[in-house]
Amino acid sequence: MARRHRTPLTVLALVSSILPLFALPAQASPAPPVNSCGEPGFDPAVEPPDPDAPQLPRIDIPPVVKIPLPYPELVPVPVPGPAPDNTRVPQEPLPADPCADPCPDLGLATGAPDALPGGSSGSSGSSGSSGSAGSSGSSSYLPRVELDPQPETIPIPVPGAPGAPVPPAPPRENPPFEPGTVTARPPAPAVGDVELVSQLTGPGSENRTDARWAVHGTDLGIVWETRPGEVALAFGDTFGLEWTPPGGAGGDWRSNVLAFSRDTDLADGLTIDAMVQDSPCHAAEILDARHVKNFETTVIPTSGFAIGDRQYLSYMSVRRWSVVPGMWYTNHGGIAYSDDHGQTWTKDPHARWDNVFGLGRFQVATMVPHGDHVYMFGTPNGRVGSVGLARVPVDDVLNPSAYQYWVHDRWMPVFEQLATPLADGAASELSVRFDVGRGRWQMSYLEPIAGEIVLRESDSPQGAWSDAATLVRTADYPKAYGGFMHPWSHGADLYFTVSEWDSYNVYLMRARLN
């Protein structure tokens, strides 16, 4: 950032955290992409300019501006909460005809939902406004202002049914202070062509997740190898048949769902073979959430990894979303595990990092096993924090007292807030992997100030990390976020998933690294 700017960095970060969620209205509305079954999907790329359109973008003035007027709503919340519903049904073989309805008796509709604002069904690049009905770029009238009463939940904890007994805490560890090595800073990755390979989820995707698993809208797509020849994909807040764009909202809400894939040829897309189901053709919520605003709005996975036959998920418990787009407040970051190959999960009651006074450094964690340790890269809640690093012996993943934090040039058993930032600037939605073929670490994330998904590299987890290279610009893919790398990327091909807010679905992309 140039020194001539006098605006405080925190203000810039707060303002720019909105950038991935806003874009100018599209000037053209080409036909949406269509899958092999003739179902229209969504194109997250910015639409090409219409040569017949005015040179300056039209400014639409809505006829009505609604001002939120919160009022208190007392909501009793039982503590402890109900036990998770671990009902599971096996995945039946998908129909031989990929366009056939896998559950015709359920009547799950397919096809693109209602049109996105600012274009035809499946088009992208809208401004995220309330639409342009009744507005005009040359209008001189003032919009009508209305108050919009909205309940503001005030959770009231009340005694709940006795829950399962909490297992004893792991023994207190006292890891040593150990010197570390800061490796030489490598050059920034040379990113060549970047292309969208396919739409992974939602109406119009080849995976037809809407018809097969009632996944109409979802995001993230965090990928990890569960065992040789198979990867899992963890998705965030997921909506079913009643979902309509733009954004993540609607009926049949599940805070998270989990899919599996054995597709090794990613050049033509990624095939989802199965999802964890709680009923036929319905993806299950694998990590339970209370779904109570200001208490626990949702629980979102942040990374996944496997050690032996046990699967792990790091997650964040979101207390509430902020009125500032791209910001949120967490209760804690934690770790869950599964011993039945991802069908059911246990949120470990002790493996958690509480967000004390909103200062937690590892609320949004990305965890990578490597050698004798598991490395935990983390950021605070929201999109304005820097990346910190910790490590723990493989056998002590669920014991927070066994973690050492990277502070300057040492591994130290200190408070997490002391962890040294690994790179300048803010980071969100981290993804980290070790490229075995090149012997180099890679880190991708959304850089909210620049409005870019970027890539850095290093010869060690603690760095020094290279300068950032751009993978995706929100100028090209409006409202894009995420950027989770596929572990089977190799050679010059880096595959990663990207989410787009308006269409609220996940895409596979490929970058050529020169």
Side-chain angles (χ1 to χ4, degrees):
M1 181 179 299
R3 294 293 181 184
R4 65 178 180 274
H5 294 303
R6 299 184 182 275
T7 306
L9 178 60
T10 54
V11 175
L12 286 175
L14 283 169
V15 173
S16 61
S17 67
I18 306 174
L19 292 179
L21 302 180
F22 286 91
L24 289 175
Q27 297 187 21
S29 299
V34 177
N35 68 5
S36 59
C37 300
E39 298 165 341
F42 303 102
D43 185 354
V46 66
E47 296 167 359
D50 185 345
D52 298 326
Q55 294 298 312
L56 295 176
R58 187 180 70 182
I59 301 176
D60 291 328
I61 301 177
V64 178
V65 173
K66 293 186 177 183
I67 300 177
L69 180 64
Y71 63 89
E73 182 181 55
L74 303 181
V75 176
V77 181
V79 178
D85 183 359
N86 285 331
T87 302
R88 298 291 183 264
V89 299
Q91 172 78 58
E92 296 294 331
L94 296 175
D97 177 4
C99 300
D101 188 345
C103 290
D105 55 322
L106 298 181
L108 296 174
T110 61
D114 295 341
L116 296 175
S120 63
S121 176
S123 67
S124 67
S126 85
S127 65
S129 66
S130 59
S132 57
S135 62
S136 169
S138 59
S139 297
S140 58
Y141 68 84
L142 294 176
R144 185 173 73 256
V145 177
E146 294 181 355
L147 296 179
D148 182 18
Q150 296 181 358
E152 182 66 22
T153 301
I154 300 178
I156 306 298
V158 298
V166 177
R172 176 74 187 182
E173 299 289 343
N174 294 294
F177 289 75
E178 297 182 80
T181 301
V182 177
T183 53
R185 186 186 306 274
V191 177
D193 294 336
V194 179
E195 62 178 336
L196 188 150
V197 179
S198 69
Q199 179 181 330
L200 294 186
T201 63
S205 66
E206 288 298 329
N207 289 308
R208 304 184 72 228
T209 62
D210 51 333
R212 294 173 179 170
W213 298 288
V215 176
H216 290 242
T218 191
D219 69 347
L220 303 186
I222 298 164
V223 196
W224 78 94
E225 186 174 73
T226 55
R227 56 191 176 192
E230 181 190 76
V231 296
L233 295 96
F235 298 96
D237 285 312
T238 298
F239 302 90
L241 183 60
E242 297 177 4
W243 170 80
T244 55
D252 192 14
W253 176 21
R254 290 142 287 170
S255 286
N256 42 76
V257 297
L258 187 65
F260 297 96
S261 173
R262 296 184 297 273
D263 191 351
T264 59
D265 183 7
L266 303 176
D268 60 353
L270 184 152
T271 300
I272 294 177
D273 302 304
M275 281 192 169
V276 177
Q277 302 181 128
D278 53 13
S279 61
C281 292
H282 189 268
E285 181 180 83
I286 59 166
L287 297 180
D288 64 297
R290 301 302 300 273
H291 292 176
V292 178
K293 182 182 178 182
N294 295 325
F295 184 80
E296 184 179 70
T297 298
T298 189
V299 171
I300 296 180
T302 59
S303 75
F305 60 101
I307 298 177
D309 294 331
R310 173 171 279 190
Q311 306 296 317
Y312 293 88
L313 274 173
S314 60
Y315 67 89
M316 59 177 174
S317 169
V318 178
R319 177 181 293 268
R320 65 182 176 90
W321 301 110
S322 171
V323 295
V324 178
M327 298 296 293
W328 60 90
Y329 305 95
T330 56
N331 296 304
H332 61 267
I335 303 175
Y337 61 89
S338 171
D339 291 322
D340 56 8
H341 199 64
Q343 293 297 305
T344 60
W345 293 79
T346 299
K347 289 188 282 190
D348 190 280
H350 307 291
R352 52 189 285 176
W353 286 257
D354 292 326
N355 195 17
V356 180
F357 301 118
L359 300 176
R361 286 290 307 280
F362 291 84
Q363 295 299 293
V364 188
T366 296
M367 305 186 72
V368 184
H370 183 72
D372 297 332
H373 290 86
V374 174
Y375 292 88
M376 180 172 71
F377 302 78
T379 61
N381 53 204
R383 284 180 169 158
V384 296
S386 58
V387 182
L389 175 64
R391 73 175 187 181
V392 65
V394 169
D395 295 336
D396 290 324
V397 167
L398 299 177
N399 187 350
S401 70
Y403 281 69
Q404 299 168 302
Y405 298 89
W406 179 252
V407 182
H408 300 299
D409 60 353
R410 292 180 179 274
W411 297 103
M412 299 183 179
V414 294
F415 293 112
E416 61 181 271
Q417 285 80 5
L418 298 179
T420 302
L422 296 183
D424 295 333
S428 178
E429 288 114 36
L430 279 175
S431 175
V432 182
R433 68 184 287 261
F434 179 70
D435 186 344
V436 176
R438 298 172 57 229
R440 181 160 287 181
W441 290 79
Q442 294 176 314
M443 175 195 299
S444 63
Y445 56 87
L446 174 66
E447 212 287 6
I449 294 177
E452 297 177 342
I453 297 173
V454 300
L455 176 69
R456 295 179 185 264
E457 291 187 337
S458 176
D459 291 323
S460 65
Q462 63 269 23
W465 285 85
S466 73
D467 292 335
T470 301
L471 290 174
V472 173
R473 293 181 175 87
T474 55
D476 300 324
Y477 292 89
K479 306 186 185 181
Y481 58 101
F484 299 99
M485 295 178 285
H486 195 296
W488 293 347
S489 301
H490 64 277
D493 291 327
L494 178 67
Y495 290 93
F496 58 100
T497 61
V498 164
S499 304
E500 195 270 339
W501 178 250
D502 271 0
S503 63
Y504 198 65
N505 271 290
V506 181
Y507 302 83
L508 180 68
M509 303 194 73
R510 175 175 59 192
R512 302 281 187 175
L513 303 183
N514 299 324

